[in-house]
């Protein structure tokens, strides 16, 4: 049996190697709860190229994790239902695949890391066993080869003394090391796309810096696409190529990283950037966005941001919601007054 | 009267590690806080930063009397809290109030907001006479930017940022002079964080409060603090004005910490002088000899293992730094 990790045992029909590794088109997800229908994702679209980092930025509850769960096929159903859209892996719509085919994509081609590593790792098995299982199941490796690969991987994510630590249980690792183990598991089968949902939020800044550096290095080596879900504007500025800003289940602005920071075209993005403490604001009031994000069971008509927006006019309070206007050939913003916001007018 | 409203001298908190159920045998101790000296001046904000587990919350809990120090002294308005009588200690405590991190669990879900904010009056009935308490609570709600008519609502009817305002109103109930904020905005979204930070600054200006502000977000601390103390494994390793700490850090740990903070400006990408530390934080039950940072420090020499560096001003540092080789290094290239 081959031990080459790049040999994918499970062929997937219809894959077009020239198509993008990931395209999300007009995704809709709702949660049917006792208190009504929560519209968690309302038409999210984005593309991800090989080797590219796309950040998904937004406040708590805006639908970032649900989007990721829908892509991975791990949505909590019920109450969660995908009610529309497409999720394309190299041209194949994952939403149309039976679960048996879907499983071939998970971990193999699109893998995910979570905020909370401890809950993603199984506490009763050693770290080495959990890694080795991946190779045994998906690559048909022998026990011995699989363990050797597990050690290599732990080494790759810079766990010191990997050949000894491979026999440890997750609780014997520090938070930062557990996050490395989870990265190792996600990268084990050499996926083309990695979705990282707040991978460093629970970690200290010095550990966060280590983990982000490690992710960047591995991404470069493998030309992997990375979807980075975060609310940290500093991390985004540091690593992202493209940014999708979400609000109440929609992408409300999409642009390259430099454009977003230099001239945000949506009032929400602008408000977020202005609420970060900056050196020149010392001794001054921060410009906070007033009010709160809406309940997803009761999203206001028109632009969902209108009750908090300082640019809002009558048109903003009326359906339909503002479409994603083309701000430039490479960027869009869902605000009727994007020119004013951006300072073009 | 002195300008110092709060002072600690060699404050220590060790949590014993015990084995056995009936005959507990101590086999060690977690040195959560190990000899902290600091002063808080009237009207200032002292920021405390440091990584998870370095002892920030334990220190805060000792300052408000929720934890008894293993040794050391705490002075409130010049009075040694372990030497004064019960009544005076009670009054001293009243003067220091705590705002906690988690707006979701720190409020009792079965109490109304009015009862939560008014609860301190049960312990200190002399502050506001019974008949005036409801009015006082409404005044507090108004002060923190909440609707006074919501006095009978329950915590779950409020958002995270609003709950943090409730926590702040409660802390203000007894007219304290000192407020200790332990990660007051960490659980909040950026846009809501700014609202709470603005509120804290407004209250400080209006009421002349002194703050100790604990946070792991270094840019938030820079915004709000006048002086900053950096902790590592139970000790303060550098302390100075906000400018001194951020622009002229001299302890390798402070430098590493500052250099690790991502700057929200893509134009500065790759230009940061980033110091990536290797290794994990050692266990506080078994800290390294000498300098506690030496196991992760790129400057460490033999002396660092042999001799504990004191928190003092040295030749190449104009403010106290606990490093034998303290020397300024500019790690944060500001955007101005
Ligand atoms: N299992 C579930 N049942 C019901 N509602 C859910 C469920 N999972 C998510 N939701 C709802 O969907 C919305 C979007 O949640 P999601 O977890 O995607 O937010 P998020 O953007 O990841 O936020 P955070 O930054 O807090 O992680 C939320 O309002 C949430 O209440
Ligand atoms: N009641 C306790 N019993 C035993 N150990 C404790 C207790 N409380 C805290 N500790 C330990 O003391 C050390 C300091 O904890 P503390 O909560 O003060 O850290 P912190 O700096 O506030 O961290 P964080 O940033 O995570 O809040 C930690 O190692 C912790 O595990
Ligand atoms: S005293 Fe030594 S070990 Fe400690 S920080 Fe300074 S150089 Fe590093
Ligand atoms: Mg999430
Ligand atoms: Mg704490």
């Amino acid at each position: 049996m081959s031990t080459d990790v790049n040999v994918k045992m499970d062929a997937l029909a219809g894959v077009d190697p020239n198509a993008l590794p990931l395209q999300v088109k007009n995704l809709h997800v709702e949660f049917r709860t006792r208190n009504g229908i929560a519209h968690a994702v309302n038409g999210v679209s984005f593309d991800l190229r090989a080797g590219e980092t796309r950040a998904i930025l937004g406040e708590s509850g805006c639908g970032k994790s649900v989007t990721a769960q829908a892509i991975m096929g791990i949505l909590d159903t019920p109450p969660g239902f995908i009610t529309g859209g497409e999720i394309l892996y190299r041209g194949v719509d994952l939403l149309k695949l039976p679960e048996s085919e879907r499983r071939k994509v998970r971990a193999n081609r699109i893998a995910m890391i979570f905020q909370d590593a401890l809950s993603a790792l199984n506490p009763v098995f050693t770290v080495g066993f959990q890694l080795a299982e991946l190779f045994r199941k998906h690559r048909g490796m022998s026990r011995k080869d699989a363990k050797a690969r597990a050690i290599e991987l732990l080494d790759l994510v810079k766990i010191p003394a990997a050949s000894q630590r491979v026999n440890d249980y997750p609780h014997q690792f520090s938070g930062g090391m557990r996050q490395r183990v989870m990265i190792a598991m996600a990268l084990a089968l050499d996926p083309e796309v990695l979705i990282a949902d707040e991978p460093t939020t629970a970690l200290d800044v010095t550990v966060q810096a280590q983990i982000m550096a490690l992710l960047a290095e591995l991404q470069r080596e493998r030309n992997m696409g990375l979807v980075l879900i975060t609310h940290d504007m500093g991390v985004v500025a540091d690593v992202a190529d493209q940014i999708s800003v979400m609000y109440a289940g929609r992408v409300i602005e999409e642009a390259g990283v430099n454009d977003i920071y230099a001239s945000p075209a949506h009032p929400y993005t602008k408000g977020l950037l202005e609420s970060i403490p900056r050196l020149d604001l010392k001794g001054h009031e921060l410009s906070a966005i007033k009010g709160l994000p809406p309940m997803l069971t009761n999203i206001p008509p028109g632009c969902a941001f209108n009750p908090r927006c300082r640019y809002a006019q009558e048109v903003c309070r009326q359906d339909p919601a503002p479409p994603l206007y083309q701000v430039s050939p490479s960027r869009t913003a869902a605000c009727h007054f994007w020119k004013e916001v951006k300072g073009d007018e | 009267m002195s300008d110092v409203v709060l002072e600690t001298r060699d404050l220590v908190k060790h949590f014993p590690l015990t084995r056995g159920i009936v005959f507990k045998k101590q086999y060690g101790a977690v040195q959560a806080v190990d000899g902290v000296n600091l002063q808080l001046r009237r009207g200032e904000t002292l920021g405390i930063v440091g990584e998870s587990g370095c002892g920030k919350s334990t220190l805060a809990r000792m300052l408000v009397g929720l934890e008894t120090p293993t040794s050391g002294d705490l002075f409130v308005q010049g009075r040694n809290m372990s030497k004064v009588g019960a009544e005076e200690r009670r009054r001293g405590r009243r003067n220091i109030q705590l705002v906690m991190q988690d707006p979701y669990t720190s409020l009792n879900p079965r109490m109304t907001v009015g009862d939560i904010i008014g609860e301190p009056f049960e312990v200190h009935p002399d502050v506001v006479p019974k008949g005036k308490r409801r009015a006082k609570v409404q005044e507090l709600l108004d002060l923190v930017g909440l609707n006074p008519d919501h006095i009978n609502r329950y915590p779950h009817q409020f958002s995270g940022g609003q709950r943090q305002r409730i926590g702040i109103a409660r802390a203000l109930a007894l007219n304290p002079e000192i407020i200790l904020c332990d990660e007051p905005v960490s659980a909040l979204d950026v846009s809501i964080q700014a609202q709470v930070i603005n509120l804290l600054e407004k209250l400080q200006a209006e009421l002349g409060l002194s703050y100790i502000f604990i946070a792991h977000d270094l840019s938030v601390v820079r915004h709000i603090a006048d002086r900053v103390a950096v902790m590592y494994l139970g000790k303060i390793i550098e302390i100075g004005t906000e400018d001194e700490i951020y622009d002229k850090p001299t302890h390798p740990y402070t430098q590493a910490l500052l250099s690790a903070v991502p700057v929200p400006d893509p134009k500065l990408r790759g230009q940061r002088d980033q110091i990536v530390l290797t290794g994990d934080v050692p266990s506080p039950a078994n800290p390294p000899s000498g300098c506690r940072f030496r196991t992760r420090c790129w400057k460490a020499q033999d002396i660092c293992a042999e001799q504990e560096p004191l928190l003092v001003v040295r030749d190449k540092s104009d403010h106290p730094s606990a490093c034998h080789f303290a020397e300024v290094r500019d790690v944060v290239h500001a955007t101005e």
Side-chain angles (χ1 to χ4, degrees):
Chain A
M1 185 61 61
S2 161
T3 53
D4 181 354
V5 281
N6 291 315
V7 176
K8 310 256 188 216
M9 296 208 318
D10 323 300
L12 191 67
V15 165
D16 171 4
N18 297 318
L20 292 180
L22 182 65
Q23 274 181 295
V24 176
K25 290 188 174 168
N26 202 20
L27 181 70
H28 286 261
V29 182
E30 61 184 39
F31 286 92
R32 298 174 190 156
T33 70
R34 230 174 300 151
N35 304 323
I37 294 181
H39 299 276
V41 178
N42 306 306
V44 163
S45 304
F46 63 83
D47 292 351
L48 182 74
R49 270 159 266 281
E52 177 180 81
T53 298
R54 170 168 300 271
I56 299 187
L57 188 73
E59 264 170 298
S60 185
C62 72
K64 305 183 294 295
S65 296
V66 170
T67 301
Q69 288 158 11
I71 297 170
M72 290 303 289
I74 55 169
L75 191 67
D76 194 9
T77 308
F81 295 89
I82 297 178
T83 54
E86 292 170 287
I87 296 170
L88 305 174
Y89 161 76
R90 300 239 181 251
V92 178
D93 186 356
L94 301 181
L95 297 179
K96 298 216 173 80
L97 293 184
E99 178 56 27
S100 59
E101 292 286 296
R102 195 83 198 260
R103 217 171 290 135
K104 298 179 187 170
V105 177
R106 247 191 321 265
N108 249 320
R109 297 178 165 89
I110 305 180
M112 180 160 169
I113 55 181
F114 304 85
Q115 172 172 350
D116 179 5
L118 198 53
S119 64
L121 297 169
N122 192 328
V124 303
F125 296 113
T126 65
V127 159
F129 178 83
Q130 295 184 52
L131 273 167
E133 269 302 283
L134 282 171
F135 295 115
R136 284 162 53 78
K137 254 204 215 120
H138 292 268
R139 297 284 184 270
M141 282 188 192
S142 71
R143 206 175 283 276
K144 192 162 154 258
D145 287 348
K147 182 158 182 194
R149 268 301 288 164
I151 294 170
E152 264 175 61
L153 266 173
L154 289 179
D155 204 44
L156 181 76
V157 295
K158 306 195 167 87
I159 300 274
S163 55
Q164 286 141 45
R165 300 306 303 254
V166 71
N167 297 317
D168 283 354
Y169 290 87
H171 73 267
Q172 292 171 287
F173 284 73
S174 70
M177 281 162 81
R178 282 198 289 262
Q179 209 65 15
R180 285 161 199 273
V181 171
M182 194 154 57
I183 292 174
M185 292 192 64
L187 296 184
L189 303 177
D190 207 17
E192 291 154 83
V193 174
L194 179 66
I195 300 176
D197 190 356
E198 313 256 8
T200 58
T201 305
L203 304 174
D204 282 318
V205 280
T206 57
V207 185
Q208 166 176 299
Q210 294 169 5
I211 298 282
M212 290 314 299
L214 173 68
L215 266 180
E217 182 186 324
L218 296 171
Q219 182 190 19
R220 215 171 319 114
E221 279 170 11
R222 293 152 182 247
N223 200 28
M224 185 173 67
L226 176 65
V227 178
L228 179 69
I229 296 176
T230 178
H231 55 253
D232 188 322
M233 317 278 276
V235 170
V236 172
D238 235 13
V239 304
D241 303 309
Q242 294 293 318
I243 301 179
S244 301
V245 185
M246 283 184 73
Y247 190 79
R250 305 189 106 92
V251 174
I252 51 91
E253 179 159 12
E254 189 189 344
V257 64
N258 291 315
D259 287 341
I260 289 257
Y261 283 80
S263 60
H266 194 287
Y268 175 63
T269 316
K270 192 169 180 167
L272 275 185
L273 286 168
E274 285 172 356
S275 32
I276 320 175
R278 284 198 326 261
L279 204 48
D280 50 323
L281 292 176
K282 173 100 184 165
H284 295 84
E285 216 181 302
L286 295 172
S287 66
I289 304 177
K290 64 177 190 215
L292 301 169
M295 305 272 294
L296 296 178
T297 45
N298 192 12
I299 298 176
C303 173
F305 188 61
N306 86 68
R308 305 175 73 187
C309 182
R310 61 177 190 259
Y311 294 88
Q313 305 283 332
E314 200 41 43
V315 59
C316 307
R317 291 184 265 276
Q318 276 155 25
D319 278 335
L324 275 167
Y325 293 102
Q326 205 73 44
V327 170
S328 81
S330 61
R331 58 183 297 196
T332 55
C335 170
H336 295 304
F337 299 103
W338 66 265
K339 284 187 186 149
E340 231 177 298
V341 178
K342 192 167 162 286
D344 285 359
E345 238 169 43
Chain B
M1 193 159 171
S2 131
D3 212 29
V4 174
V5 288
L6 184 78
E7 180 171 2
T8 71
R9 286 201 201 138
D10 291 324
L11 209 58
V12 171
K13 182 70 195 183
H14 288 183
F15 293 104
L17 292 165
T18 54
R19 233 184 246 127
I21 296 160
V22 184
F23 301 102
K24 282 206 177 122
K25 208 172 156 225
Q26 185 176 341
Y27 68 93
V30 175
Q31 305 182 13
V33 172
D34 201 40
V36 162
N37 294 292
L38 55 79
Q39 292 188 332
L40 178 68
R41 299 176 196 139
R42 185 179 309 282
E44 80 165 347
T45 299
L46 174 67
I48 300 182
V49 299
E51 282 172 295
S52 185
C54 71
K56 305 181 295 296
S57 296
T58 306
L59 175 62
R61 291 170 60 80
M62 284 194 281
L63 298 182
V64 294
L66 288 172
E67 204 83 75
T68 316
T70 307
S71 64
D73 295 303
L74 167 64
F75 297 81
V76 179
Q77 244 96 27
R79 298 258 165 57
N80 189 335
M81 284 293 115
S82 55
K83 300 256 162 66
V84 297
E87 177 52 29
E88 196 171 340
R89 183 157 42 214
R90 213 174 60 93
R91 258 186 285 127
R93 296 247 184 281
R94 195 172 90 190
N95 226 335
I96 313 176
Q97 295 295 323
L98 181 65
V99 175
M100 275 180 290
Q101 166 171 5
D102 194 345
Y104 297 93
T105 57
S106 59
L107 304 177
N108 185 338
R110 277 183 288 276
M111 284 167 73
T112 65
V113 164
D115 290 339
I116 289 172
I117 297 174
E119 198 182 21
F121 300 138
E122 307 291 322
V123 191
H124 299 275
D126 47 323
V127 180
V128 181
K130 242 197 168 98
K132 297 214 169 113
R133 286 186 193 161
R134 198 180 159 83
K136 171 76 181 177
V137 168
Q138 290 192 310
E139 191 187 303
L140 286 165
L141 280 169
D142 189 47
L143 186 66
V144 299
L146 293 172
N147 186 340
D149 296 339
H150 292 172
I151 186 165
N152 291 324
R153 294 199 176 181
Y154 290 88
H156 74 263
Q157 293 172 289
F158 294 88
S159 72
Q162 289 172 331
R163 280 186 240 199
Q164 203 51 294
R165 289 172 193 264
I166 296 169
I168 293 169
R170 180 190 153 100
L172 292 174
L174 301 173
N175 307 319
E177 289 176 88
I178 304 164
I179 302 271
L180 250 144
C181 302
D182 190 358
E183 308 267 8
V185 297
S186 309
L188 306 175
D189 276 314
V190 201
S191 76
I192 312 296
Q193 272 187 17
Q195 296 174 2
V196 174
I197 292 167
N198 286 344
L199 171 66
L200 286 169
E201 295 213 291
K202 179 193 97 157
L203 293 172
Q204 181 168 44
E206 281 173 16
L207 307 174
L209 300 167
S210 311
Y211 286 151
I212 289 186
F213 190 95
I214 296 172
H216 65 257
D217 185 329
L218 287 129
S219 51
V220 167
V221 171
R222 173 155 219 188
H223 184 78
I224 200 164
D226 303 302
R227 287 190 307 131
V228 178
V230 185
M231 283 185 78
Y232 187 79
L233 273 182
K235 289 185 183 289
I236 293 179
I237 54 92
E238 185 163 2
I239 186 164
T241 64
E242 165 256 319
D243 287 337
E244 286 167 344
I245 297 297
Y246 285 82
D247 293 337
K248 294 186 282 174
T250 62
H251 195 288
Y253 176 65
T254 311
Q255 292 163 352
L257 197 63
L258 286 171
S259 85
V261 181
V263 183
D265 183 354
K267 290 200 294 293
L268 296 179
R269 188 184 288 186
Q271 294 190 14
R272 219 162 3 123
D273 170 14
Q274 198 172 337
I275 306 161
V276 177
L277 288 178
T278 51
D280 285 311
V281 184
S283 159
N286 188 18
S289 66
C291 172
R292 293 185 171 191
F293 185 59
R294 71 176 163 83
T295 53
R296 300 169 80 196
C297 183
W298 63 96
K299 284 167 98 175
Q301 305 284 326
D302 290 346
I303 184 179
C304 305
E306 289 151 12
Q307 221 175 324
E308 182 181 335
L310 300 177
L311 181 63
V312 291
V313 176
R314 288 161 213 272
D315 287 351
K316 293 176 179 166
S317 173
D318 57 5
H319 56 277
S321 175
C323 171
H324 293 302
F325 304 105
E327 188 173 4
V328 175
R329 174 165 170 180
D330 175 21
V331 283
V332 183
H333 311 295
T335 7
E336 312 110 304

